[in-house]
Coordinates of all heavy atoms in Angstrom, one line a residue:
M1 N -13.0 -20.1 2.4 CA -12.2 -19.8 3.6 C -10.9 -19.0 3.2 O -10.2 -19.4 2.3 CB -11.9 -21.1 4.3 CG -11.1 -20.9 5.6 SD -10.8 -22.5 6.3 CE -9.3 -22.1 7.3
K2 N -10.7 -18.0 4.0 CA -9.5 -17.2 3.7 C -8.2 -17.9 4.2 O -8.2 -18.6 5.2 CB -9.6 -15.8 4.5 CG -10.7 -15.0 4.0 CD -10.5 -13.6 4.6 CE -11.8 -12.7 4.5 NZ -12.7 -12.9 5.6
P3 N -7.2 -17.7 3.4 CA -5.9 -18.4 3.8 C -5.4 -17.7 5.1 O -5.5 -16.5 5.3 CB -5.0 -18.1 2.7 CG -5.6 -17.0 1.9 CD -7.0 -17.0 2.1
A4 N -4.9 -18.5 6.0 CA -4.4 -18.0 7.2 C -3.0 -17.3 7.0 O -2.4 -17.5 6.0 CB -4.2 -19.2 8.2
C5 N -2.7 -16.5 8.0 CA -1.4 -15.8 8.0 C -0.2 -16.8 8.0 O -0.2 -17.7 8.9 CB -1.3 -14.9 9.2 SG 0.4 -14.1 9.4
P6 N 0.7 -16.8 7.0 CA 1.8 -17.7 7.0 C 2.8 -17.5 8.1 O 3.6 -18.4 8.4 CB 2.4 -17.5 5.6 CG 2.1 -16.1 5.3 CD 0.7 -15.8 5.9
I7 N 2.7 -16.4 8.8 CA 3.7 -16.1 9.8 C 3.2 -16.6 11.2 O 3.9 -17.3 11.9 CB 4.0 -14.6 9.9 CG1 4.6 -14.1 8.6 CG2 4.9 -14.2 11.1 CD1 4.5 -12.7 8.3
C8 N 2.0 -16.3 11.5 CA 1.5 -16.6 12.9 C 0.3 -17.5 12.9 O -0.2 -18.0 13.9 CB 1.2 -15.3 13.7 SG -0.2 -14.5 13.1
G9 N -0.3 -17.7 11.7 CA -1.5 -18.6 11.6 C -2.8 -17.8 11.9 O -3.8 -18.4 12.0
G10 N -2.7 -16.5 12.1 CA -3.8 -15.7 12.4 C -4.7 -15.5 11.2 O -4.4 -16.0 10.1
R11 N -5.8 -14.8 11.4 CA -6.8 -14.6 10.3 C -6.4 -13.3 9.5 O -6.0 -12.3 10.1 CB -8.2 -14.4 10.8 CG -8.9 -15.7 11.2 CD -10.3 -15.5 11.6 NE -10.3 -14.5 12.7 CZ -11.4 -13.8 13.0 NH1 -12.5 -14.0 12.4 NH2 -11.4 -12.9 14.0
R12 N -6.5 -13.4 8.2 CA -6.3 -12.2 7.3 C -7.6 -11.6 7.0 O -8.4 -12.2 6.4 CB -5.5 -12.7 6.1 CG -4.2 -13.3 6.5 CD -3.2 -13.3 5.3 NE -3.6 -14.2 4.2 CZ -2.9 -14.4 3.1 NH1 -1.8 -13.7 3.0 NH2 -3.3 -15.2 2.2
E13 N -7.7 -10.4 7.4 CA -9.0 -9.6 7.2 C -8.8 -8.4 6.3 O -7.7 -7.8 6.4 CB -9.5 -9.1 8.6 CG -9.8 -10.2 9.6 CD -11.0 -11.0 9.3 OE1 -11.7 -10.7 8.3 OE2 -11.2 -12.0 10.0
P14 N -9.8 -8.1 5.5 CA -9.6 -6.9 4.6 C -9.5 -5.7 5.5 O -10.2 -5.5 6.5 CB -11.0 -6.9 3.9 CG -11.6 -8.2 4.0 CD -11.1 -8.8 5.3
G15 N -8.5 -4.9 5.2 CA -8.3 -3.6 5.9 C -7.6 -2.6 5.1 O -7.6 -2.7 3.8
Q16 N -6.9 -1.7 5.7 CA -6.2 -0.7 5.0 C -4.8 -0.6 5.6 O -4.5 -0.8 6.7 CB -6.9 0.7 5.2 CG -8.2 0.7 4.5 CD -8.9 2.0 4.7 OE1 -8.6 2.8 5.7 NE2 -9.8 2.4 3.8
T17 N -3.9 -0.1 4.7 CA -2.5 0.1 5.2 C -2.0 1.4 4.6 O -2.6 2.0 3.7 CB -1.6 -1.1 4.8 OG1 -0.3 -0.9 5.4 CG2 -1.4 -1.2 3.3
T18 N -0.8 1.8 5.1 CA -0.1 3.0 4.5 C 1.1 2.5 3.7 O 1.9 1.8 4.3 CB 0.3 4.0 5.6 OG1 -0.9 4.4 6.3 CG2 1.0 5.2 5.0
F19 N 1.1 2.7 2.4 CA 2.2 2.3 1.6 C 3.3 3.4 1.5 O 2.9 4.6 1.3 CB 1.7 2.0 0.2 CG 2.7 1.8 -0.9 CD1 3.3 0.5 -1.1 CD2 3.1 2.9 -1.7 CE1 4.3 0.4 -2.0 CE2 4.1 2.7 -2.7 CZ 4.7 1.4 -2.8
T20 N 4.5 3.0 1.7 CA 5.6 4.0 1.5 C 6.7 3.4 0.6 O 6.9 2.2 0.6 CB 6.3 4.4 2.9 OG1 6.7 3.2 3.5 CG2 5.3 5.0 3.8
A21 N 7.3 4.3 -0.2 CA 8.4 3.8 -1.0 C 9.5 4.8 -0.9 O 9.2 6.1 -1.0 CB 7.9 3.7 -2.5
E22 N 10.7 4.4 -0.8 CA 11.9 5.2 -0.8 C 12.5 5.3 -2.2 O 12.8 4.3 -2.8 CB 12.9 4.6 0.2 CG 14.2 5.2 0.3 CD 14.1 6.7 0.7 OE1 13.7 7.0 1.8 OE2 14.5 7.6 -0.1
L23 N 12.6 6.5 -2.7 CA 13.1 6.7 -4.0 C 14.5 7.2 -4.1 O 15.0 7.4 -5.2 CB 12.2 7.7 -4.8 CG 10.7 7.4 -4.9 CD1 10.0 8.5 -5.6 CD2 10.5 6.0 -5.5
G24 N 15.2 7.3 -3.0 CA 16.5 7.8 -3.0 C 16.5 9.3 -2.8 O 17.0 9.8 -1.8
F25 N 15.9 10.0 -3.7 CA 15.8 11.5 -3.6 C 14.6 12.0 -2.8 O 14.5 13.1 -2.4 CB 15.7 12.2 -5.0 CG 14.6 11.7 -5.8 CD1 13.3 12.2 -5.7 CD2 14.7 10.6 -6.7 CE1 12.3 11.8 -6.4 CE2 13.7 10.2 -7.5 CZ 12.4 10.8 -7.3
G26 N 13.7 11.0 -2.5 CA 12.5 11.4 -1.8 C 11.7 10.2 -1.4 O 12.1 9.1 -1.6
V27 N 10.5 10.4 -0.9 CA 9.7 9.3 -0.5 C 8.2 9.5 -1.0 O 7.8 10.7 -1.2 CB 9.6 9.2 1.1 CG1 10.9 8.7 1.6 CG2 9.1 10.4 1.7
V28 N 7.5 8.4 -1.2 CA 6.1 8.4 -1.5 C 5.4 7.8 -0.4 O 5.8 6.7 0.1 CB 5.9 7.6 -2.8 CG1 4.5 7.8 -3.3 CG2 6.9 8.0 -3.9
V29 N 4.3 8.4 0.0 CA 3.4 7.8 1.0 C 2.0 7.8 0.4 O 1.5 8.8 -0.1 CB 3.4 8.7 2.3 CG1 2.4 8.0 3.3 CG2 4.8 8.7 2.8
V30 N 1.4 6.6 0.4 CA 0.0 6.5 -0.1 C -0.8 6.0 1.1 O -0.6 4.9 1.6 CB -0.2 5.6 -1.3 CG1 -1.6 5.6 -1.8 CG2 0.8 5.9 -2.4
R31 N -1.8 6.7 1.5 CA -2.6 6.4 2.7 C -3.8 5.6 2.3 O -4.3 5.7 1.1 CB -3.0 7.6 3.5 CG -1.8 8.4 3.9 CD -2.2 9.6 4.7 NE -2.7 9.2 6.0 CZ -3.7 9.8 6.7 NH1 -4.2 10.9 6.2 NH2 -4.1 9.3 7.8
H32 N -4.4 4.8 3.2 CA -5.6 4.1 3.0 C -5.6 3.2 1.8 O -6.6 3.1 1.0 CB -6.8 5.1 2.9 CG -6.9 6.0 4.0 ND1 -6.7 7.4 4.0 CD2 -7.2 5.7 5.3 CE1 -6.9 7.9 5.2 NE2 -7.2 6.9 6.0
V33 N -4.5 2.4 1.7 CA -4.4 1.4 0.6 C -5.1 0.1 1.1 O -4.9 -0.3 2.2 CB -2.9 1.1 0.3 CG1 -2.8 0.0 -0.7 CG2 -2.2 2.4 -0.2
P34 N -6.0 -0.4 0.2 CA -6.7 -1.6 0.6 C -5.7 -2.8 0.7 O -4.9 -3.0 -0.2 CB -7.7 -1.9 -0.5 CG -7.3 -1.0 -1.6 CD -6.5 0.1 -1.1
A35 N -5.8 -3.6 1.8 CA -4.9 -4.7 2.0 C -5.5 -5.7 2.9 O -6.5 -5.4 3.5 CB -3.6 -4.2 2.6
L36 N -5.0 -6.9 2.9 CA -5.4 -7.9 3.9 C -4.4 -7.7 5.0 O -3.2 -7.7 4.9 CB -5.2 -9.3 3.3 CG -6.3 -9.8 2.3 CD1 -5.9 -11.2 1.8 CD2 -7.6 -9.8 3.0
V37 N -5.0 -7.7 6.2 CA -4.2 -7.4 7.4 C -4.4 -8.6 8.4 O -5.6 -8.9 8.7 CB -4.5 -6.1 8.1 CG1 -3.6 -5.8 9.3 CG2 -4.4 -4.9 7.1
C38 N -3.3 -9.1 8.9 CA -3.5 -10.2 9.9 C -4.0 -9.6 11.2 O -3.5 -8.6 11.7 CB -2.1 -10.9 10.1 SG -2.1 -12.1 11.5
D39 N -5.0 -10.3 11.8 CA -5.6 -9.8 13.1 C -4.7 -10.1 14.3 O -5.0 -9.6 15.4 CB -7.0 -10.2 13.2 CG -7.1 -11.7 13.5 OD1 -6.1 -12.4 13.4 OD2 -8.2 -12.2 13.8
Q40 N -3.7 -10.9 14.1 CA -2.8 -11.2 15.2 C -1.5 -10.4 15.2 O -1.1 -9.8 16.1 CB -2.5 -12.7 15.3 CG -3.7 -13.4 15.8 CD -3.4 -14.8 16.2 OE1 -2.4 -15.1 16.8 NE2 -4.2 -15.8 15.8
C41 N -0.7 -10.6 14.1 CA 0.6 -10.0 14.0 C 0.7 -8.7 13.2 O 1.7 -8.0 13.2 CB 1.6 -11.0 13.5 SG 1.5 -11.3 11.7
G42 N -0.4 -8.3 12.5 CA -0.4 -7.1 11.8 C 0.3 -7.1 10.4 O 0.4 -6.1 9.8
E43 N 0.7 -8.3 10.0 CA 1.4 -8.3 8.7 C 0.3 -8.0 7.6 O -0.9 -8.3 7.8 CB 1.9 -9.8 8.5 CG 2.7 -10.0 7.2 CD 4.0 -9.3 7.2 OE1 4.5 -8.9 8.3 OE2 4.6 -9.1 6.1
E44 N 0.8 -7.4 6.5 CA -0.1 -6.9 5.5 C 0.2 -7.5 4.1 O 1.4 -7.7 3.8 CB 0.0 -5.3 5.4 CG -0.4 -4.6 6.7 CD 0.2 -3.3 6.8 OE1 1.2 -3.0 6.1 OE2 -0.2 -2.6 7.7
W45 N -0.8 -7.7 3.3 CA -0.6 -8.2 2.0 C -1.4 -7.3 1.0 O -2.6 -7.0 1.3 CB -1.1 -9.6 1.8 CG -0.3 -10.6 2.6 CD1 0.7 -11.3 2.1 CD2 -0.5 -11.0 3.9 NE1 1.2 -12.1 3.1 CE2 0.5 -11.9 4.2 CE3 -1.3 -10.5 5.0 CZ2 0.7 -12.5 5.5 CZ3 -1.2 -11.1 6.2 CH2 -0.2 -12.1 6.5
I46 N -0.8 -6.8 0.0 CA -1.4 -6.0 -1.0 C -1.7 -6.8 -2.3 O -0.8 -7.4 -2.8 CB -0.6 -4.7 -1.3 CG1 -0.5 -3.9 0.0 CG2 -1.1 -3.9 -2.5 CD1 0.5 -2.7 -0.2
D47 N -2.9 -6.7 -2.8 CA -3.3 -7.5 -4.0 C -2.5 -7.0 -5.2 O -2.1 -5.8 -5.3 CB -4.8 -7.3 -4.3 CG -5.6 -8.2 -3.5 OD1 -5.0 -9.2 -2.9 OD2 -6.8 -8.0 -3.4
D48 N -2.2 -7.9 -6.2 CA -1.5 -7.5 -7.4 C -2.0 -6.3 -8.1 O -1.2 -5.4 -8.4 CB -1.4 -8.7 -8.3 CG -0.4 -9.7 -7.9 OD1 0.4 -9.4 -6.9 OD2 -0.3 -10.8 -8.4
P49 N -3.3 -6.2 -8.4 CA -3.8 -5.0 -9.1 C -3.5 -3.7 -8.3 O -3.2 -2.7 -8.9 CB -5.3 -5.2 -9.2 CG -5.5 -6.7 -9.0 CD -4.4 -7.1 -8.1
V50 N -3.6 -3.8 -7.0 CA -3.3 -2.6 -6.2 C -1.8 -2.3 -6.2 O -1.4 -1.1 -6.3 CB -3.8 -2.9 -4.7 CG1 -3.4 -1.7 -3.8 CG2 -5.3 -3.1 -4.7
A51 N -1.0 -3.3 -6.2 CA 0.5 -3.1 -6.2 C 0.9 -2.5 -7.5 O 1.7 -1.6 -7.6 CB 1.2 -4.5 -6.0
V52 N 0.2 -2.9 -8.6 CA 0.5 -2.4 -9.9 C 0.2 -0.9 -10.0 O 0.9 0.0 -10.5 CB -0.2 -3.1 -11.1 CG1 -0.2 -2.4 -12.4 CG2 0.4 -4.5 -11.2
A53 N -1.0 -0.5 -9.4 CA -1.4 0.9 -9.4 C -0.5 1.7 -8.5 O -0.2 2.8 -8.8 CB -2.9 1.0 -8.8
L54 N 0.0 1.1 -7.4 CA 1.0 1.8 -6.5 C 2.3 2.1 -7.3 O 2.9 3.1 -7.1 CB 1.2 1.0 -5.3 CG 0.1 1.0 -4.2 CD1 0.4 -0.1 -3.2 CD2 -0.1 2.3 -3.6
E55 N 2.7 1.1 -8.1 CA 3.9 1.2 -8.9 C 3.8 2.4 -9.8 O 4.7 3.2 -10.0 CB 4.2 -0.1 -9.6 CG 5.5 -0.1 -10.2 CD 6.7 0.0 -9.2 OE1 6.5 -0.5 -8.1 OE2 7.7 0.7 -9.6
A56 N 2.6 2.6 -10.4 CA 2.3 3.7 -11.3 C 2.4 5.0 -10.5 O 2.9 6.0 -11.1 CB 0.9 3.6 -11.9
V57 N 1.9 5.1 -9.3 CA 2.0 6.3 -8.5 C 3.5 6.6 -8.2 O 3.9 7.7 -8.4 CB 1.3 6.1 -7.1 CG1 1.6 7.3 -6.2 CG2 -0.2 5.9 -7.3
V58 N 4.3 5.6 -7.9 CA 5.7 5.7 -7.7 C 6.4 6.3 -8.9 O 7.2 7.2 -8.8 CB 6.4 4.4 -7.3 CG1 7.9 4.5 -7.3 CG2 5.9 4.0 -5.9
E59 N 6.1 5.8 -10.1 CA 6.7 6.3 -11.3 C 6.3 7.7 -11.6 O 7.2 8.5 -12.0 CB 6.3 5.4 -12.5 CG 6.9 4.0 -12.5 CD 8.4 4.1 -12.3 OE1 9.1 4.9 -13.1 OE2 9.0 3.4 -11.5
E60 N 5.1 8.1 -11.3 CA 4.6 9.4 -11.5 C 5.4 10.4 -10.6 O 5.8 11.5 -11.0 CB 3.1 9.4 -11.1 CG 2.3 10.6 -11.4 CD 0.9 10.5 -10.9 OE1 0.2 9.5 -11.3 OE2 0.5 11.3 -10.1
V61 N 5.6 10.0 -9.3 CA 6.4 10.8 -8.4 C 7.8 10.9 -8.8 O 8.5 11.9 -8.7 CB 6.2 10.3 -6.9 CG1 7.1 11.1 -6.0 CG2 4.8 10.4 -6.5
R62 N 8.4 9.8 -9.3 CA 9.8 9.7 -9.7 C 10.0 10.8 -10.9 O 11.0 11.5 -10.9 CB 10.1 8.3 -10.2 CG 11.6 8.1 -10.3 CD 11.9 6.8 -11.0 NE 11.3 5.6 -10.4 CZ 11.9 5.0 -9.3 NH1 13.1 5.4 -8.9 NH2 11.4 3.9 -8.8
A63 N 9.0 10.8 -11.8 CA 9.1 11.7 -12.9 C 9.0 13.2 -12.4 O 9.7 14.1 -13.0 CB 7.9 11.5 -13.9
K64 N 8.2 13.4 -11.3 CA 8.1 14.8 -10.8 C 9.3 15.2 -9.9 O 9.5 16.4 -9.6 CB 6.8 14.9 -9.9 CG 5.6 15.1 -10.7 CD 4.4 15.6 -9.9 CE 4.0 14.7 -8.8 NZ 2.8 15.1 -8.1
Q65 N 10.0 14.2 -9.4 CA 11.2 14.4 -8.5 C 10.8 15.1 -7.3 O 11.5 16.0 -6.7 CB 12.3 15.2 -9.3 CG 12.9 14.5 -10.4 CD 14.0 13.5 -10.1 OE1 15.0 13.9 -9.5 NE2 13.9 12.3 -10.4
S66 N 9.6 14.8 -6.7 CA 9.2 15.4 -5.5 C 10.0 14.8 -4.3 O 10.3 13.6 -4.3 CB 7.7 15.0 -5.2 OG 6.9 15.4 -6.3
L67 N 10.3 15.7 -3.3 CA 11.0 15.2 -2.2 C 10.1 14.3 -1.3 O 10.5 13.3 -0.8 CB 11.5 16.4 -1.4 CG 12.8 17.1 -1.9 CD1 13.2 18.2 -1.0 CD2 13.9 16.1 -2.1
V68 N 8.9 14.8 -1.1 CA 7.9 14.1 -0.3 C 6.6 14.2 -1.0 O 6.1 15.3 -1.4 CB 7.8 14.7 1.1 CG1 6.7 13.9 1.9 CG2 9.1 14.7 1.9
E69 N 6.0 13.1 -1.3 CA 4.7 13.1 -1.9 C 3.7 12.2 -1.0 O 4.0 11.0 -0.8 CB 4.8 12.4 -3.3 CG 3.5 12.4 -4.1 CD 3.2 13.8 -4.8 OE1 4.1 14.6 -4.9 OE2 2.1 14.0 -5.2
V70 N 2.7 12.9 -0.5 CA 1.7 12.1 0.3 C 0.4 12.2 -0.4 O -0.1 13.2 -0.8 CB 1.6 12.8 1.7 CG1 0.6 12.0 2.5 CG2 2.9 12.8 2.4
T71 N -0.1 11.0 -0.7 CA -1.4 11.0 -1.4 C -2.3 10.0 -0.8 O -1.9 9.3 0.2 CB -1.1 10.6 -2.9 OG1 -2.3 10.7 -3.6 CG2 -0.5 9.2 -3.1
D72 N -3.5 9.9 -1.3 CA -4.5 9.1 -0.6 C -5.1 8.1 -1.7 O -5.6 8.6 -2.7 CB -5.6 9.9 0.0 CG -6.5 9.1 1.0 OD1 -7.1 8.1 0.5 OD2 -6.6 9.5 2.1
W73 N -5.1 6.9 -1.4 CA -5.7 5.9 -2.4 C -7.1 6.2 -2.8 O -7.5 6.1 -3.9 CB -5.6 4.5 -1.7 CG -6.1 3.4 -2.6 CD1 -7.4 2.9 -2.7 CD2 -5.4 2.8 -3.7 NE1 -7.5 2.0 -3.7 CE2 -6.3 1.9 -4.3 CE3 -4.1 2.9 -4.1 CZ2 -5.9 1.1 -5.4 CZ3 -3.7 2.0 -5.2 CH2 -4.6 1.2 -5.8
R74 N -7.9 6.7 -1.8 CA -9.3 6.9 -2.1 C -9.5 8.1 -3.1 O -10.6 8.2 -3.7 CB -10.1 7.2 -0.8 CG -10.0 6.0 0.1 CD -10.6 6.4 1.5 NE -9.8 7.4 2.1 CZ -10.0 7.8 3.4 NH1 -11.0 7.3 4.1 NH2 -9.3 8.8 3.9
E75 N -8.5 8.9 -3.2 CA -8.6 10.0 -4.2 C -8.2 9.5 -5.6 O -8.5 10.2 -6.6 CB -7.7 11.2 -3.8 CG -8.2 11.9 -2.6 CD -7.2 12.9 -2.1 OE1 -6.2 13.1 -2.8 OE2 -7.4 13.4 -1.0
R76 N -7.6 8.4 -5.7 CA -7.1 7.9 -7.0 C -7.9 6.7 -7.5 O -8.0 6.6 -8.7 CB -5.6 7.4 -6.8 CG -4.7 8.5 -6.5 CD -3.3 8.0 -6.3 NE -2.3 9.1 -6.2 CZ -1.7 9.6 -7.3 NH1 -1.9 9.0 -8.5 NH2 -0.9 10.6 -7.2
A77 N -8.4 5.9 -6.6 CA -9.1 4.7 -7.0 C -10.4 5.1 -7.7 O -11.1 6.0 -7.3 CB -9.4 3.8 -5.8
V78 N -10.7 4.5 -8.9 CA -11.9 4.9 -9.6 C -12.8 3.7 -9.7 O -12.4 2.6 -9.6 CB -11.6 5.4 -11.0 CG1 -11.9 6.9 -11.1 CG2 -10.3 5.1 -11.5
Ligands
ZN1 ZN1 0.0 -13.1 11.4

């Protein structure tokens, strides 16, 4: 049984979210990131391995110093 949403008690279902990170000099947007999404309040949870991979994307963009970087999880996930 899946753990209920700690905020509203709703069900957490596998879904997708858009991850954004503010870097100061720019922003990173990663679309279609796998996440658990509450079917009632819409709160999202990203699994640790996914969060680690997102952090790597952020570091990559930080190194490039892009003002805006929009990418898609499905193009990166292997
Ligand atoms: Zn909820």
Side-chain angles (χ1 to χ4, degrees):
M1 183 179 155
K2 296 193 194 88
C5 172
I7 297 162
C8 72
R11 280 184 307 161
R12 301 201 289 183
E13 301 289 352
Q16 292 179 337
T17 187
T18 300
F19 168 86
T20 57
E22 174 60 61
L23 300 182
F25 58 84
V27 292
V28 188
V29 179
V30 185
R31 303 181 69 211
H32 303 113
V33 174
L36 284 176
V37 183
C38 175
D39 69 349
Q40 285 193 44
C41 71
E43 186 68 19
E44 295 154 347
W45 294 265
I46 294 175
D47 278 346
D48 282 351
V50 175
V52 167
L54 286 171
E55 192 58 36
V57 173
V58 169
E59 286 310 312
E60 192 181 300
V61 173
R62 197 190 299 278
K64 280 199 294 188
Q65 297 273 303
S66 305
L67 285 181
V68 180
E69 183 81 14
V70 180
T71 185
D72 195 305
W73 180 265
R74 296 174 299 188
E75 290 171 8
R76 293 178 170 270
V78 254

